[in-house]
Amino acid sequence: MSLEVISKAKVCGGWHKQYSHKSISLNCDMRFALFLPPNASAESPVPVLYWLSGLTCTDENFMQKAGAFKKAAELGIAIVAPDTSPRGDDVADDEGYDLGKGAGFYLNATQTPWASHYKMYDYIVKELPALVEQHFPVTQTKSISGHSMGGHGALTIGLKNQEQYRSISAFSPITNPMNCPWGQKAFTQYLGSNKEFWREYDASELLASAQSRLPILVDQGDADNFLQEQLKPENLITAAKQSDSEIELRMQAGYDHSYFFIQSFIDEHIAFHSKYLKA
């Protein structure tokens, strides 16, 4: 499949590039961003950290605001950041920021009018890694991380595909979407009213019923405005105890939901993943 370069910039000795391509999974043109560290070559391919962004974001938010390139270059890790939803004039949308474009929730929609395009789960799990591994000097070794809605995506995708990833991390994830307003709105629209289908995309439900074999790191700011109503990290910890899974939740004093929070701890997350990507 062909790729079109949208932009490129040298940074920290490596390269940040944006690409567009025709997505089979999503039935539309998609964009993603890639950071390749300076040591990446055909003779020396590098592992990949996939980053999933949150509501209203695109591939650009993390790449421009997180300050992740210096540590990724130092440790020899590529970063891939996809968009958060399908895009295009014929793609279904909603007036709210928490549904439709910019709010794909990293699932496979089954309901009209969403099902024809909103297959973000298949895109992240299957199509995008195959595309990246075909065109760039990377290995099949990968980990996954994300923020807010993207933290939900990282947790659920990692837990459902433990053979594909080495580690999972998240900033301020939506840990129990079945029991919060963001998740209930999105799941009703994308998946219908049968809550048994919702469980397949709920990290707390998945973790409670099956032990995680992957290391998981979660950072949560205790000054996050969405903490109590939307994020509910305590539910994820309860689920981990039920399945005897290992998970580290770090409550960070004074931090909110913003990229100031992510920038403060992203180096530690990249170092965390590096331990397992290089193992």
Side-chain angles (χ1 to χ4, degrees), residues 155 169-170 172-173 216-220 236 247-250 269:
L155 288 166
S169 78
S172 315
I216 302 174
L217 171 64
V218 175
D219 270 324
Q220 173 64 62
L236 189 68
I247 181 171
E248 182 179 6
L249 170 65
R250 307 191 305 187
H269 280 242

Side-chain angles (χ1 to χ4, degrees), residues 48-60:
V48 183
L49 175 63
Y50 284 83
W51 172 270
L52 307 183
S53 291
L55 290 167
T56 76
C57 292
T58 68
D59 62 290
E60 294 182 335

Side-chain angles (χ1 to χ4, degrees), residues 39-273:
N39 66 313
S41 68
E43 295 75 28
S44 182
V46 297
V48 183
L49 175 63
Y50 284 83
W51 172 270
L52 307 183
S53 291
L55 290 167
T56 76
C57 292
T58 68
D59 62 290
E60 294 182 335
N61 298 71
F62 176 81
M63 292 301 207
Q64 294 181 8
K65 296 180 179 180
F69 299 143
K70 185 174 289 186
K71 180 58 71 172
E74 173 191 329
L75 297 175
I77 296 171
I79 301 174
V80 172
D83 202 348
T84 53
S85 76
R87 305 280 179 172
D89 293 340
D90 62 337
V91 173
D93 199 10
D94 185 81
E95 293 181 358
Y97 74 94
D98 52 357
L99 184 70
K101 295 177 185 177
F105 272 84
Y106 305 102
L107 50 72
N108 285 341
T110 60
Q111 303 299 299
T112 304
W114 312 103
S116 60
H117 292 285
Y118 284 76
K119 305 289 186 182
M120 286 296 293
Y121 178 87
D122 282 351
Y123 180 69
I124 299 299
V125 174
K126 301 174 184 177
E127 184 177 2
L128 184 59
L131 189 68
V132 169
E133 290 161 14
Q134 176 186 353
H135 288 277
F136 302 104
V138 301
T139 68
Q140 294 182 334
T141 304
K142 52 188 177 289
S143 292
I144 192 164
S145 184
H147 171 234
S148 194
M149 178 187 72
H152 142 78
L155 288 166
T156 55
I157 287 171
L159 289 170
K160 287 165 66 73
N161 300 275
Q162 296 191 45
E163 71 286 350
Q164 293 190 35
Y165 300 95
R166 294 289 181 87
S167 50
I168 305 169
S169 78
F171 288 85
S172 315
I174 305 171
T175 67
N176 192 195
M178 290 183 64
N179 293 306
C180 78
W182 280 340
Q184 290 166 350
K185 178 179 179 178
F187 284 8
T188 299
Q189 288 290 317
Y190 294 145
L191 301 173
S193 59
N194 188 339
K195 293 187 177 181
E196 288 304 310
F197 296 140
W198 296 15
R199 298 183 193 281
E200 290 299 309
Y201 299 104
D202 186 301
S204 293
E205 293 289 326
L206 291 170
L207 196 57
S209 60
Q211 185 179 55
S212 173
R213 303 185 301 275
L214 300 179
I216 302 174
L217 171 64
V218 175
D219 270 324
Q220 173 64 62
D222 70 2
D224 191 321
N225 290 337
F226 303 112
L227 178 58
Q228 298 302 323
E229 183 181 28
Q230 303 282 12
L231 306 180
K232 304 181 183 295
E234 67 279 2
N235 292 4
L236 189 68
I237 297 304
T238 298
K241 290 178 180 177
Q242 290 178 11
S243 63
D244 198 26
S245 298
E246 291 189 14
I247 181 171
E248 182 179 6
L249 170 65
R250 307 191 305 187
M251 295 299 299
Q252 303 290 5
Y255 286 93
D256 59 17
H257 200 71
S258 72
Y259 267 83
F260 295 113
F261 174 43
I262 296 171
Q263 188 178 116
S264 299
F265 298 99
I266 191 61
D267 283 2
E268 295 176 28
H269 280 242
I270 293 173
F272 164 79
H273 290 295

